[in-house]
Amino acid sequence: MLEPNCTLAVDLVVLTVAEDRLRVLTIRRGVAPYRGRRALPGGFVLPGEDLLDAAERELREETGLGGLRVHLEQLATYAAPGRDPRGRVASVAHLALVPPPPGRPTGGTDAASAQWSDVAEVDAASPPLAFDHRRILRDGVERARSKLEYTPLAAAFCAAEFTVNELRLVYEAVWGTKLDPRNFHRKVTGTPGFVEPTGSTTSRQGGRPAQLYRRGDAAVLHPAMLRPTATPTARRPRPTGPGPATAIQR
Amino acid sequence: MLEPNCTLAVDLVVLTVAEDRLRVLTIRRGVAPYRGRRALPGGFVLPGEDLLDAAERELREETGLGGLRVHLEQLATYAAPGRDPRGRVASVAHLALVPPPPGRPTGGTDAASAQWSDVAEVDAASPPLAFDHRRILRDGVERARSKLEYTPLAAAFCAAEFTVNELRLVYEAVWGTKLDPRNFHRKVTGTPGFVEPTGSTTSRQGGRPAQLYRRGDAAVLHPAMLRPTATPTARRPRPTGPGPATAIQR
DNA sequence: TTAATAGTGTCTATGAGACAGTATGCC
DNA sequence: GGCATACTGTCTCATAGACACTATTAA
């Protein structure tokens, strides 16, 4: 047998979209170190427990998100020496995407007060999150942003049935951009496997009733839903003047 | 202080392209468990050592890849209970992309014989790689494949200066596809920040001398180099017959 | 009716892929 | 010259984005 030399933990970046903003679940630490500080929910991996199971258990225990459909995936591992004053702790961070929670999250055993907060505010908060959780949060948000580009995972932020409009609001909240509703609609319904119509409609928005959709069965999107880029294509200067369009090389 | 409950290790998926094939570095295990089996190089993280440093050290120690430029990034963490019979081991796998090695890799301390092998052969080998290394290898290869799409990382497989042709051979080896040399050339040289001309040329291929390039400074490619898809766009049936091109919906 | 949201059509610019054709080296 | 590789031009189709327009409900 080997001599154990570190403690294995999981931390959770739990994201949702509520009131058109990207939100993250944080807890207030009830014990040292960083007692009283906000932190990402997490905890130690039990003997005989795999990482994803530990993350799922913590999600239930600490956040009271019992029955929700969640998307859960491993994010990255953080094990810098000194990141935890109690000793060598390797934290395997996980990313969870959940639909908007019905009410306030309920604190569990060691989570004094779980709470949804605006991601930007948490990132800029003073004092910052405990440990290296600010970095983990940033990595998680960036992962979520890029996953929305090439997977149908935005639906994980919605209820089981949703309208195209609701899906667009998810994209806008996560990316922090505005999208053209009409082009978005065409793109979503035109990408095979992205969404499936349920056949029923809803008029919860007012206006013409909208079709309801379920998440489709595609694992990746073809074509992808690319984020609008600041430089639409790195804006190569268009040849507008007279003369040959191609510059002489060499 | 906390009671350590696991052992922290790093494993390496070291990939290169040699003779137009994607190759992975494996070692033969000199100690139990899985003694005599092929495995990915790796080892335990030292006290006070961060993960990436451990991976870098193992890369040097175990594989004799001393002075090479390498790209090294964290891949994922594998910690299923029972994955190592010696006890609870969390392996933080890393992905390394290296230029074609000048000679045979030299085995280090506990690596009896490091060796480059065809990725497909290793994946299909019997007996399979030790531990869960087959799964790790697959995840690493898939990561490399998709990273080539949206980053200029293919250049990590090349010498410091390379031709467009050499870069294309990298893509073809990693993706296992053929690419049109002419379109590839236009795309690579037209994507800002992908490659930078050095000004000099080479005629190592025979034929007209080729420009030499260095890796550019872009972190991501705009536009991306997408893998050719089996279904170019999920092939919606093209309207070829007479009559209105758009089918009536509903 | 108006307001509001849902959804379609169409135009333009750009990129992907196919492939003809030109450039420049070595034999 | 012949051949091989490097590179450019051009055509076609698909997609992204802009935006006019139609559809269907509630008040």
Side-chain angles (χ1 to χ4, degrees):
Chain A
M1 293 292 284
L2 293 163
E3 190 61 39
N5 60 6
C6 97
T7 309
L8 199 57
V10 290
D11 282 317
L12 288 163
V13 178
V14 189
L15 300 179
T16 196
V17 173
E19 292 130 40
D20 300 349
R21 311 278 289 184
L22 183 62
R23 315 226 164 218
V24 61
L25 192 66
T26 57
I27 55 130
R28 190 172 297 281
R29 287 185 59 81
V31 296
Y34 296 100
R35 176 169 179 163
R37 279 276 194 97
R38 295 235 145 251
L40 297 176
F44 296 110
V45 178
L46 300 178
E49 190 180 43
D50 203 350
L51 298 171
L52 207 59
D53 298 327
E56 208 172 300
R57 176 178 55 74
E58 289 294 338
L59 189 61
R60 272 186 285 106
E61 280 183 13
E62 282 218 67
T63 67
L65 298 173
L68 284 177
R69 291 170 309 107
V70 295
H71 168 85
L72 190 58
E73 66 177 49
Q74 194 186 113
L75 178 59
T77 298
Y78 302 81
R83 66 177 290 278
D84 190 319
R86 292 168 294 181
R88 187 77 193 243
V89 177
S91 167
V92 184
H94 286 71
L95 177 65
L97 311 184
V98 306
R104 302 249 126 241
T106 64
T109 49
D110 56 344
S113 55
Q115 153 183 325
W116 293 105
S117 316
D118 196 288
V119 161
E121 281 171 21
V122 171
D123 186 77
S126 177
L129 291 181
F131 306 105
D132 49 4
H133 287 185
R134 183 163 178 248
R135 149 76 34 198
I136 298 177
L137 172 60
R138 288 186 170 191
D139 292 348
V141 169
E142 180 48 38
R143 170 80 66 93
R145 286 189 172 136
S146 62
K147 278 233 150 184
L148 256 56
E149 293 194 303
Y150 55 91
T151 72
L153 224 57
F157 284 116
C158 296
E161 301 197 349
F162 51 87
T163 66
V164 174
N165 188 52
E166 287 160 358
L167 195 65
R168 181 172 52 80
L169 293 175
V170 165
Y171 273 92
E172 293 185 343
V174 175
W175 285 348
T177 59
K178 287 289 169 191
L179 300 173
D180 185 293
R182 300 158 292 184
N183 291 333
F184 183 84
H185 189 282
R186 214 169 356 91
K187 226 153 117 175
V188 166
T189 54
T191 300
F194 194 171
V195 295
E196 276 178 12
T198 66
S200 49
T201 60
T202 181
S203 32
R204 49 186 173 230
Q205 306 296 329
R208 171 175 170 179
Q211 293 274 350
L212 282 171
Y213 293 86
R214 259 189 286 283
R215 182 176 162 183
D217 56 1
V220 293
L221 299 181
H222 279 290
M225 297 279 302
L226 296 177
R227 267 178 276 192
T229 54
T231 58
T233 178
R235 188 155 290 151
R236 64 187 71 172
R238 211 114 55 76
T240 43
T246 51
I248 289 125
Q249 298 230 350
R250 239 186 313 176
Chain B
M1 293 293 283
L2 293 163
E3 190 62 39
N5 60 6
C6 97
T7 310
L8 199 56
V10 290
D11 282 316
L12 288 164
V13 178
V14 189
L15 300 179
T16 196
V17 172
E19 291 131 38
D20 299 350
R21 310 277 289 183
L22 183 62
R23 316 224 166 223
V24 61
L25 192 66
T26 57
I27 54 129
R28 190 172 297 281
R29 286 184 60 79
V31 296
Y34 297 100
R35 179 171 178 160
R37 279 275 194 98
R38 294 234 146 253
L40 298 177
F44 296 109
V45 178
L46 300 178
E49 190 179 42
D50 202 350
L51 298 171
L52 207 60
D53 298 328
E56 207 171 302
R57 176 179 52 77
E58 288 294 337
L59 189 62
R60 272 186 283 106
E61 280 183 13
E62 282 218 65
T63 67
L65 298 173
L68 284 178
R69 290 171 311 107
V70 295
H71 167 84
L72 190 58
E73 67 177 49
Q74 194 186 111
L75 179 58
T77 298
Y78 302 81
R83 67 177 288 279
D84 189 318
R86 292 169 294 181
R88 187 75 193 246
V89 177
S91 167
V92 183
H94 286 71
L95 177 65
L97 310 183
V98 307
R104 301 249 127 241
T106 63
T109 49
D110 56 345
S113 54
Q115 158 183 318
W116 292 104
S117 315
D118 195 290
V119 161
E121 282 171 20
V122 171
D123 187 76
S126 177
L129 291 181
F131 305 104
D132 48 4
H133 286 185
R134 183 165 177 248
R135 148 76 34 197
I136 298 177
L137 172 59
R138 287 185 171 192
D139 291 348
V141 169
E142 180 48 38
R143 170 80 66 94
R145 285 187 174 138
S146 62
K147 278 233 150 184
L148 257 57
E149 294 194 303
Y150 56 91
T151 72
L153 224 56
F157 286 116
C158 296
E161 300 198 348
F162 52 87
T163 66
V164 174
N165 189 52
E166 286 160 359
L167 195 65
R168 181 173 52 82
L169 294 175
V170 165
Y171 273 92
E172 294 185 342
V174 175
W175 286 349
T177 59
K178 287 289 171 191
L179 299 173
D180 186 292
R182 300 159 293 183
N183 291 333
F184 183 84
H185 189 282
R186 213 166 1 89
K187 227 153 115 174
V188 167
T189 54
T191 301
F194 195 171
V195 295
E196 275 178 13
T198 65
S200 50
T201 60
T202 181
S203 32
R204 48 187 174 229
Q205 307 295 331
R208 171 176 168 179
Q211 294 274 351
L212 282 171
Y213 294 88
R214 259 189 287 282
R215 181 176 162 184
D217 56 3
V220 293
L221 299 181
H222 279 292
M225 297 280 303
L226 296 178
R227 269 179 272 194
T229 55
T231 58
T233 179
R235 188 153 289 152
R236 62 188 71 173
R238 209 115 55 77
T240 42
T246 51
I248 290 125
Q249 297 230 353
R250 239 184 315 171

